[in-house]
Amino acid sequence: MNYNHDTDQDLDWAADQLRRQKNLGKGLPDTAVRRVTASLTAPQNLTLRAPLAASLGAPVPPDSTIGNALSALAINSGSPEQCRGVCDSFLALLSDRDRIQLHTEFVELKGIEALLGVVQTHGGETGLSALRVLDKLSRTSAREISAAGGIDIIVHCLVQEGQAPSMMEAALRTLHGLTFDNDAKEQVLRRDVREIAESLVENRPWEKGLQGSIDDPEEEERTARAWGDVNSMAMRLLSRLGGAGTGQRPRRPQD
């Protein structure tokens, strides 16, 4: 008889009973500790690094997980290139609308907080990539984004002086997705987002800046098209919030 095996079985059983008893007393669900997270396929030009191997520079195997990638995001938070690469991986992974389970796992692993940190720290293409991932999560995890302070961060991207039109369009798109949850929609209204969108649509502040400011006609056309996307997204958001010209105008929630 393998007495060591029997002892291990007894220890496992005792640990299981202890966990059940503690969870019952605290009102927690009886679920096992997560040890493995969903796999993440990284871009070919990105090398993810595990927390314990970061100082040695040892790459994570190709079948990296969401947990590995979030660790890499935290470790390389000061590197725009690495952050953008990880966010691009998340964007590809979470874009499928049928991957609700992956969205849930990503939220449980504090992925929303990590993305918001990237948006706050980095601008340009890196911040844009993180914002686009938040857009993919906006309809499935609106309340979690709101609870993490995401609405304030996204609105700041929208009103920041000199902000690129691509960032503004992504911010508007993310806010638009949040409005499909009633609680998140109320929080969006509290931040005067309707008034901001109305100002963009009615005043079109970028037009004066475009006139004669760009020598290259092709570049001017691309810039005008980007601002056109901002205007289009602002109108869609107004439609959700009941802005000017969209029919009934709902009352803003009282603080």
Side-chain angles (χ1 to χ4, degrees):
M1 179 179 292
N2 187 347
Y3 291 100
N4 288 332
H5 174 74
D6 292 342
T7 301
D8 289 340
Q9 290 283 79
D10 290 340
L11 289 174
D12 289 342
W13 181 85
D16 177 72
Q17 295 302 308
L18 180 61
R19 189 192 76 245
R20 290 172 184 267
Q21 185 177 4
K22 287 184 176 180
N23 288 346
L24 181 62
K26 295 180 179 180
L28 298 174
D30 181 36
T31 55
V33 176
R34 181 192 298 274
R35 298 184 184 276
V36 179
T37 59
S39 62
L40 173 72
T41 302
Q44 295 180 354
N45 60 348
L46 172 67
T47 300
L48 299 180
R49 301 185 183 281
L52 297 179
S55 60
L56 301 177
V60 171
D63 56 341
S64 300
T65 66
I66 292 178
N68 293 140
L70 287 172
S71 295
L73 198 60
I75 293 167
N76 299 291
S77 59
S79 170
E81 295 79 11
Q82 287 287 336
C83 288
R84 180 185 175 186
V86 175
C87 289
D88 286 345
S89 296
F90 288 146
L91 183 60
L93 181 70
L94 302 174
S95 291
D96 192 335
R97 293 185 178 181
D98 294 331
R99 296 187 177 183
I100 303 301
Q101 184 176 355
L102 285 177
H103 286 206
T104 302
E105 180 177 347
F106 187 83
V107 171
E108 290 176 351
L109 293 172
K110 303 298 181 182
I112 287 175
E113 290 81 353
L115 291 172
L116 292 173
V118 173
V119 173
Q120 285 184 296
T121 305
H122 301 288
E125 294 297 323
T126 301
L128 178 61
S129 181
L131 204 51
R132 284 173 173 166
V133 181
L134 288 169
D135 170 41
K136 297 302 179 184
L137 295 165
S138 61
R139 297 202 187 191
T140 60
S141 311
R143 298 189 183 188
E144 289 79 3
I145 292 175
S146 177
I151 295 177
D152 289 325
I153 295 172
I154 296 167
V155 171
H156 178 72
C157 292
L158 188 59
V159 301
Q160 186 175 358
E161 188 72 23
Q163 186 65 276
S166 56
M167 283 287 286
M168 294 182 66
E169 191 269 343
L172 288 165
R173 187 177 296 276
T174 305
L175 291 169
H176 177 267
L178 294 176
T179 62
F180 287 88
D181 178 271
N182 289 333
D183 290 343
K185 182 177 180 178
E186 288 188 5
Q187 296 302 317
V188 169
L189 285 167
R190 290 178 188 274
R191 270 67 173 189
D192 295 328
V193 172
R194 180 174 57 206
E195 289 75 11
I196 295 171
E198 284 180 345
S199 176
L200 288 172
V201 172
E202 295 173 0
N203 300 327
R204 304 173 68 87
W206 57 84
E207 288 186 342
K208 293 181 180 179
L210 278 178
Q211 294 176 356
S213 62
I214 302 177
D215 296 331
D216 185 356
E218 293 184 359
E219 178 64 23
E220 184 175 1
E221 182 180 353
R222 284 193 295 269
T223 304
R225 190 181 304 116
W227 282 116
D229 292 338
V230 171
N231 185 70
S232 175
M233 200 64 240
M235 292 180 65
R236 289 179 59 187
L237 180 57
L238 276 178
S239 179
R240 290 290 307 160
L241 298 177
T246 62
Q248 185 178 1
R249 182 185 178 96
R251 296 176 59 187
R252 185 170 60 188
Q254 298 297 319
D255 294 328

